[in-house]
Short mmCIF file of all heavy atoms in Angstrom, two decimals:
data_model
loop_
_atom_site.label_atom_id
_atom_site.label_comp_id
_atom_site.label_asym_id
_atom_site.label_seq_id
_atom_site.Cartn_x
_atom_site.Cartn_y
_atom_site.Cartn_z
N ASP A 63 9.24 -16.20 10.52
CA ASP A 63 8.47 -17.47 10.80
C ASP A 63 7.26 -17.15 11.69
O ASP A 63 6.11 -17.66 11.44
CB ASP A 63 9.32 -18.49 11.55
CG ASP A 63 10.39 -19.20 10.59
OD1 ASP A 63 10.15 -19.13 9.38
OD2 ASP A 63 11.29 -19.72 11.16
N GLY A 64 7.45 -16.31 12.76
CA GLY A 64 6.36 -16.08 13.57
C GLY A 64 5.54 -14.80 13.10
O GLY A 64 4.36 -14.60 13.53
N GLY A 65 6.12 -13.97 12.34
CA GLY A 65 5.50 -12.76 11.85
C GLY A 65 5.71 -11.62 12.82
O GLY A 65 5.37 -11.67 14.02
N THR A 66 6.38 -10.55 12.41
CA THR A 66 6.64 -9.42 13.17
C THR A 66 6.40 -8.11 12.46
O THR A 66 6.34 -8.07 11.34
CB THR A 66 8.17 -9.37 13.73
OG1 THR A 66 9.01 -9.21 12.62
CG2 THR A 66 8.46 -10.68 14.50
N VAL A 67 6.18 -7.07 13.31
CA VAL A 67 6.30 -5.66 12.84
C VAL A 67 7.48 -5.06 13.52
O VAL A 67 7.59 -5.12 14.78
CB VAL A 67 4.99 -4.93 13.01
CG1 VAL A 67 4.47 -4.91 14.39
CG2 VAL A 67 5.15 -3.46 12.48
N SER A 68 8.44 -4.47 12.73
CA SER A 68 9.63 -3.97 13.21
C SER A 68 9.62 -2.49 13.07
O SER A 68 9.24 -1.89 12.07
CB SER A 68 10.86 -4.53 12.55
OG SER A 68 10.82 -5.91 12.65
N ALA A 69 10.12 -1.77 14.14
CA ALA A 69 10.15 -0.32 14.15
C ALA A 69 11.63 0.14 14.05
O ALA A 69 12.61 -0.50 14.74
CB ALA A 69 9.55 0.34 15.38
N PHE A 70 11.95 1.15 13.24
CA PHE A 70 13.25 1.75 13.10
C PHE A 70 13.24 3.20 13.18
O PHE A 70 12.27 3.91 12.77
CB PHE A 70 13.80 1.38 11.72
CG PHE A 70 13.92 -0.08 11.42
CD1 PHE A 70 12.88 -0.95 10.98
CD2 PHE A 70 15.23 -0.77 11.78
CE1 PHE A 70 13.02 -2.20 10.78
CE2 PHE A 70 15.27 -2.17 11.56
CZ PHE A 70 14.23 -2.85 11.07
N ALA A 71 14.30 3.80 13.77
CA ALA A 71 14.55 5.28 13.70
C ALA A 71 15.32 5.53 12.38
O ALA A 71 16.19 4.79 12.06
CB ALA A 71 15.32 5.77 14.89
N VAL A 72 14.93 6.64 11.76
CA VAL A 72 15.47 7.04 10.48
C VAL A 72 16.54 8.12 10.64
O VAL A 72 16.20 9.12 11.24
CB VAL A 72 14.47 7.42 9.50
CG1 VAL A 72 15.03 7.66 8.03
CG2 VAL A 72 13.35 6.36 9.40
N ASP A 73 17.72 7.89 10.13
CA ASP A 73 18.71 8.97 9.98
C ASP A 73 18.38 9.55 8.63
O ASP A 73 18.68 9.09 7.54
CB ASP A 73 20.18 8.51 10.07
CG ASP A 73 21.18 9.64 10.03
OD1 ASP A 73 20.87 10.66 9.38
OD2 ASP A 73 22.20 9.46 10.63
N ARG A 74 17.82 10.79 8.67
CA ARG A 74 17.28 11.36 7.48
C ARG A 74 18.44 12.03 6.54
O ARG A 74 18.08 12.50 5.49
CB ARG A 74 16.10 12.36 7.74
CG ARG A 74 14.90 11.52 8.24
CD ARG A 74 13.68 12.35 8.25
NE ARG A 74 13.63 13.29 9.42
CZ ARG A 74 12.70 14.15 9.62
NH1 ARG A 74 11.70 14.31 8.71
NH2 ARG A 74 12.78 15.01 10.70
N SER A 75 19.59 12.12 7.16
CA SER A 75 20.72 12.58 6.41
C SER A 75 21.30 11.51 5.45
O SER A 75 21.72 11.85 4.32
CB SER A 75 21.79 13.22 7.25
OG SER A 75 22.31 12.08 8.07
N ASP A 76 21.33 10.30 5.94
CA ASP A 76 21.97 9.26 5.05
C ASP A 76 21.20 8.06 4.81
O ASP A 76 21.54 7.11 4.15
CB ASP A 76 23.34 8.84 5.63
CG ASP A 76 23.16 8.11 7.02
OD1 ASP A 76 21.99 7.83 7.44
OD2 ASP A 76 24.20 7.89 7.62
N GLY A 77 19.93 7.98 5.41
CA GLY A 77 18.94 6.91 5.06
C GLY A 77 19.23 5.74 5.87
O GLY A 77 18.52 4.70 5.76
#
Side-chain angles (χ1 to χ4, degrees):
D63 289 341
T66 63
V67 53
S68 302
F70 298 86
V72 186
D73 184 327
R74 293 191 284 175
S75 64
D76 64 9

